[in-house]
Amino acid sequence: MRRSGCTVMIRLVGLVKPLAGFMVLAISMGLAGHLCATALTVLGAYGALSVLGEDGGTVSLVPIVVAMGACALARGVLRYGEQACNHFIAFKLLALIRDRVFRSLRRLAPAKLEGRGKGDLISVITSDIELLEVFYAHTISPAMIALLFSIILCLFIGSFSVVLGVYAAAAYLVVGIVVPWVAARASGDSGQRFREQSGALASFVLESLRGLDEILQYGCGEKRLASMLGRTDELAAQDEHLKRVAGRNTAITSGVILLFDLGMLLLATYLCVRDGTSFACALVAVVALMGSFGPVVALANLGSTLQGTFAAGNRVLDILDEKPAVEEVSGETATEFAGAEARNVTFSYGDEQVLHGVSVRAPQGSVVGISGKSGSGKSTLLRLFMRFWDADAGAVEISGRDIRRVNTGDLRDMESLVTQDTHLFQGSIRQNLRIAKLDATDEEIEAACRKASVHDFIMSLPAGYDTQVGELGDALSGGERQRLGLARAFLHDAPFMLLDEPTSNLDSLNEAVVLQALARERAGKTVLLVSHRASTMRIADTVVSVEHGRVS
């Protein structure tokens, strides 16, 4: 969803509310610090007037020098305090935003994350959120500081001459608002395109790494590398364009400031000659303006860089605002498992109908097999029982109750899903198994692995259950990962087991071992078993065939 920069800015500013006190402190110290910096030049002008005797001898040079020293020291302390507050706010908010994004991803999973590039999501969680640091540390308080500072300086310069005060206001307005606005318009949606291309490249690289074995096996390495280099070159060209725009905008800002300084000098000279404005007043006003563009220059330089920041913020807000495919249920009467049934279920992915009028009944304590060709909708049916999606028509029931009225917590406690591809994380076998039950004892883990006929294999490894599985479980074979997935299901110990091709990565010998384990441990379990292997279906009490989304 494309939002305007103003909308994104308002939404991002709203997140600062919990840290409003620190933001006020940062603005106060920043404003005082910039006033001290400008006071140095103004005091220098008064010092020059004192030496030249143009101030009528009202102020001696010594107090001026002391005041300049005090301002210089205060400027350093205040600048440090401002930056410390801004960065505390920024990094605290980034942590809070990451927490909210992870909560949103959990809420959206798995339906809304199916088919979405994993690398793109990683790019949002890491680099996009990190880019918001520019906004929180270098945009909000500088903008407020620039506004307050400009008002104070306009009043100060206007105290010498109203005309010079109006001129200063026009200068600040052009440098602080007009120039950044023009720069942002000139940048267009380059920042958005850069963030999208960056996310797409991250997805491409991640997919290439995960499929490296297949790429090498089929000799596609050169083609894949060429595609990766092409995407990298496109991203580099987009980045170069953004940097050129930023450099051009900086040059324009410096040129505009120089013109305003020259204009101020000419206007002050004219007022001295024609309107009788004193030389001292004119000099102080000119020096004050020339030494006071720091806060508005900071805004001007953000004109182009903020495009990338707002693009990153837009991508983060997309995740925070996205609605889940199904809402979690709570507050309903607790449900105990007593069988499951799908009646005349119809379901589509977008415009593609996958299931049509499918009915499957799984009585308590039974093993029901679902067979059929790949793409016939078998796995989708299991996920409807898990309520990853809601059926378009028909009813999915647990214990005779519509699944949409079953508490989500109860549903997760009642069900275990074993997918064809078991996802393992960097860590030990023990840590990966505990995902199914965080407080599981070592004895419970071992018992679950024995049920899955994987305990002996684990004990044959050098470190046993503390063996590291590698990135995405690469240290293990597909069959070994699949048996660990089955062990997770046994550890979860849910009464309703949904097994999606649990033996697809196993040879005949290991398939027989796993099937024996399932047959042996089925007591008190209701099993919905999906497989295209006839040998796997031998343990099923009944078999339902699904072809082209229909029961045959």
Side-chain angles (χ1 to χ4, degrees):
M1 177 180 177
R2 291 289 182 90
R3 302 173 181 82
S4 66
C6 183
T7 301
V8 175
M9 182 175 65
I10 292 173
R11 291 285 304 278
L12 294 178
V13 169
L15 298 175
V16 182
K17 189 176 180 180
L19 300 171
F22 286 97
M23 182 60 71
V24 171
L25 181 60
I27 293 171
S28 301
M29 289 192 292
L31 177 62
H34 281 292
L35 289 175
C36 286
T38 302
L40 285 172
T41 58
V42 172
L43 288 171
Y46 277 115
L49 292 172
S50 177
V51 172
L52 296 174
E54 294 288 338
D55 63 345
T58 57
V59 181
S60 66
L61 188 59
V62 174
I64 293 176
V65 173
V66 172
M68 290 179 69
C71 286
L73 181 61
R75 168 60 175 162
V77 174
L78 291 169
R79 177 65 174 172
Y80 178 84
E82 176 204 355
Q83 291 299 307
C85 284
N86 279 334
H87 284 85
F88 172 79
I89 293 169
F91 293 122
K92 188 70 173 179
L93 284 174
L94 295 192
L96 294 174
I97 291 172
R98 282 199 176 93
D99 180 68
R100 290 187 60 181
V101 168
F102 276 114
R103 289 176 181 271
S104 294
L105 290 176
R106 179 188 175 279
R107 183 170 46 87
L108 295 173
K112 282 296 185 73
L113 302 185
E114 283 286 332
R116 189 160 180 171
K118 303 301 184 290
D120 186 51
L121 286 174
I122 292 173
S123 178
V124 172
I125 295 169
T126 55
S127 59
D128 282 350
I129 293 180
E130 193 67 31
L131 198 58
L132 296 182
E133 185 266 341
V134 174
F135 180 76
Y136 289 117
H138 306 289
T139 304
I140 299 178
S141 66
M144 291 302 300
I145 290 168
L147 174 63
L148 297 174
F149 179 85
S150 298
I151 293 173
I152 293 172
L153 262 292
C154 287
L155 294 175
F156 177 73
I157 295 173
S159 66
F160 299 107
S161 168
V162 175
V163 174
L164 294 180
V166 172
Y167 181 87
Y172 296 140
L173 181 66
V174 171
V175 176
I177 296 179
V178 176
V179 171
W181 181 79
V182 172
R185 297 278 293 183
S187 299
D189 61 349
S190 299
Q192 180 74 27
R193 290 200 304 271
F194 178 79
R195 299 313 309 169
E196 290 174 352
Q197 289 179 354
S198 177
L201 178 60
S203 290
F204 188 84
V205 172
L206 182 61
E207 291 165 3
S208 299
L209 291 173
R210 296 184 69 173
L212 191 58
D213 291 341
E214 287 76 10
I215 291 172
L216 295 176
Q217 180 180 350
Y218 292 101
C220 298
E222 293 297 328
K223 181 179 178 181
R224 194 77 178 180
L225 179 61
S227 180
M228 188 182 300
L229 291 175
R231 290 169 180 258
T232 302
D233 290 341
E234 291 177 4
L235 187 64
Q238 189 69 32
D239 185 44
E240 182 181 2
H241 170 70
L242 288 173
K243 284 182 168 57
R244 285 183 180 277
V245 170
R248 183 188 65 204
N249 294 337
T250 300
I252 291 173
T253 300
S254 299
V256 169
I257 290 174
L258 184 61
L259 290 175
F260 273 115
D261 286 344
L262 181 60
M264 185 68 166
L265 182 61
L266 294 175
L267 180 60
T269 302
Y270 173 81
L271 292 176
C272 283
V273 174
R274 300 296 300 270
D275 289 352
T277 301
S278 69
F279 172 73
C281 292
L283 178 63
V284 172
V286 171
V287 169
L289 181 71
M290 289 183 175
S292 64
F293 280 107
V296 290
V297 166
L299 293 185
N301 291 337
L302 289 171
S304 55
T305 57
L306 275 182
Q307 290 301 304
T309 303
F310 287 157
N314 193 62
R315 282 156 55 84
V316 171
L317 292 175
D318 281 344
I319 293 179
L320 296 180
D321 292 345
E322 190 166 356
K323 301 296 182 183
V326 295
E327 294 289 347
E328 293 193 357
V329 179
S330 61
E332 296 284 346
T333 306
T335 305
E336 297 290 336
F337 183 77
E341 184 177 4
R343 291 188 287 105
N344 299 317
V345 168
T346 297
F347 180 76
S348 302
Y349 291 112
D351 296 329
E352 181 183 358
Q353 190 175 80
V354 181
L355 298 173
H356 180 74
V358 171
S359 295
V360 174
R361 185 168 177 269
Q364 189 173 10
S366 64
V367 177
V368 178
I370 302 177
S371 65
K373 297 179 181 178
S374 297
S376 59
K378 306 184 302 298
S379 298
T380 298
L381 185 59
L382 293 192
R383 283 155 176 76
L384 290 178
F385 275 108
M386 291 288 295
R387 201 173 176 243
F388 289 179
W389 298 272
D390 282 329
D392 299 333
V396 179
E397 297 179 348
I398 297 290
S399 305
R401 175 184 287 189
D402 191 305
I403 199 170
R404 290 170 295 186
R405 294 193 298 109
V406 176
N407 292 326
T408 302
D410 293 343
L411 193 65
R412 297 292 176 258
D413 289 339
M414 287 188 285
E415 296 178 333
S416 292
L417 174 64
V418 178
T419 59
Q420 185 173 349
D421 297 317
T422 300
H423 294 282
L424 299 179
F425 302 92
Q426 182 76 42
S428 67
I429 292 176
R430 192 189 313 277
Q431 290 169 329
N432 274 278
L433 290 171
R434 276 208 172 98
I435 290 173
K437 186 179 180 182
L438 297 178
D439 59 348
T441 64
D442 291 345
E443 291 75 17
E444 289 175 322
I445 291 174
E446 183 177 326
C449 289
R450 288 185 184 278
K451 292 178 182 180
S453 298
V454 73
H455 172 73
D456 292 340
F457 160 72
I458 295 174
M459 294 309 296
S460 70
L461 299 173
Y465 282 88
D466 294 318
T467 300
Q468 298 294 308
V469 301
E471 186 71 27
L472 300 174
D474 286 343
L476 305 176
S477 68
E480 291 160 355
R481 290 197 297 269
Q482 202 160 30
R483 282 189 285 169
L484 287 179
L486 189 59
R488 278 177 177 168
F490 282 123
L491 184 61
H492 185 51
D493 197 25
F496 189 25
M497 297 183 70
L498 302 139
L499 309 181
D500 188 4
E501 301 283 3
T503 60
S504 60
N505 293 320
L506 302 178
D507 55 30
S508 299
L509 180 61
N510 282 311
E511 179 192 22
V513 171
V514 169
L515 292 178
Q516 288 174 4
L518 284 172
R520 185 175 62 250
E521 301 297 337
R522 59 173 287 184
K525 306 287 186 186
T526 301
V527 181
L528 207 54
L529 176 62
V530 165
S531 180
H532 64 275
R533 288 186 177 185
S535 55
T536 303
M537 289 300 168
R538 291 174 186 168
I539 67 168
D541 300 324
T542 58
V543 177
V544 177
S545 179
V546 178
E547 297 293 341
H548 306 296
R550 299 172 183 267
V551 173
S552 60

